[in-house]
Amino acid sequence: MNAWLVTAAVLLTAGLGPAVWGVATGPLERRVTAQNFGTSVVCLAALMLAQGYDRPSYVDVALVAAVLGPVGTLVYARLLADELQEAPP
């Protein structure tokens, strides 16, 4: 196990846990922000894993997650549009 893999494990543990908790609970603004943060954590962890395992093909996973992250936020906001109309930020 090298430093890249340890960093990816720490990043996933310390970053993804709070992001999942933020998406699952709390007000709408925090849920959308946590979803964006979770996407960033997954992208960075995938890049660390690609470097740690010396597999350049894993970088593609990070790039796809980076591209689909904003799309996921738009879908998430679309699903919560009714709540946004009731109480605008």
Side-chain angles (χ1 to χ4, degrees):
M1 189 165 227
N2 57 24
W4 294 105
L5 298 177
V6 171
T7 305
V10 169
L11 187 62
L12 285 173
T13 304
L16 205 55
V20 169
W21 178 77
V23 169
T25 62
L28 180 63
E29 295 85 16
R30 186 172 73 191
R31 287 185 273 174
V32 173
T33 304
Q35 192 271 336
N36 278 331
F37 179 70
T39 302
S40 299
V41 168
V42 168
C43 291
L44 290 174
L47 289 173
M48 298 289 175
L49 290 172
Q51 191 69 22
Y53 288 128
D54 196 27
R55 302 269 179 151
S57 60
Y58 288 0
V59 174
D60 295 339
V61 173
L63 292 174
V64 168
V67 169
L68 293 180
V71 174
T73 302
L74 292 174
V75 169
Y76 196 74
R78 175 75 174 145
L79 291 174
L80 299 173
D82 295 335
E83 288 184 36
L84 278 173
Q85 290 176 354
E86 291 172 6

